[in-house]
Amino acid sequence: VQHLLPRLRDPNETSVVIVTLAEATPYYEAFRLEQDLQRASIPTKWWTINQSFAVTDTTDPILSGRAIAEQEWIQLIHKASEGNIVIIPWESKDVVGYDNLKFWTEVSPSEV
């Protein structure tokens, strides 16, 4: 722990990414996690919203309703992350790897 904490606190060595869903409970859990990390002087850099229907072209009425409900949480996450946000749409397969995630950094919450 004596060697780990200084490395976690050093933004040149560690970037913390908080991953959440655009829903109430996951947002509040992630927000509390970020507060705990701040108290430990561990900075967070990015927030990632996973499995979002708001950035899909769904025409299903139920999923479209969920996409609309995500808007409030996307805006709160955008504010909490100071604009450092990645939104990954719902996919039938996992999005894995830096290059695949980097693609989604170009999707702006204002486009949602």
Side-chain angles (χ1 to χ4, degrees):
V1 173
Q2 292 174 348
H3 299 289
L4 179 61
L5 277 177
R7 294 183 74 188
L8 289 174
R9 291 177 175 146
D10 183 353
N12 295 318
E13 287 199 55
T14 305
S15 291
V16 176
V17 178
I18 295 178
V19 180
T20 189
L21 300 173
E23 300 173 6
T25 300
Y27 166 77
Y28 287 117
E29 288 176 353
F31 188 74
R32 283 192 294 272
L33 170 61
E34 183 176 52
Q35 290 174 326
D36 287 344
L37 291 169
Q38 286 173 350
R39 280 191 290 278
S41 300
I42 301 171
T44 57
K45 178 64 179 172
W46 287 89
W47 281 55
T48 299
I49 298 173
N50 202 8
Q51 301 176 355
S52 176
F53 284 98
V55 291
T56 66
D57 293 325
T58 185
T59 57
D60 180 90
I62 293 174
L63 298 179
S64 293
R66 180 169 172 184
I68 291 167
E70 290 179 357
Q71 299 299 322
E72 172 186 359
W73 303 106
I74 290 170
Q75 294 307 317
L76 286 170
I77 293 165
H78 185 264
K79 183 179 177 183
S81 69
E82 298 178 356
N84 294 318
I85 183 175
V86 176
I87 303 174
I88 300 173
W90 186 90
E91 295 279 335
S92 60
K93 58 184 174 66
D94 290 337
V95 177
V96 177
Y98 176 78
D99 291 332
N100 291 327
L101 290 174
K102 188 172 186 225
F103 171 80
W104 295 110
T105 63
E106 299 172 8
V107 177
S108 168
S110 61
E111 297 175 33
V112 176

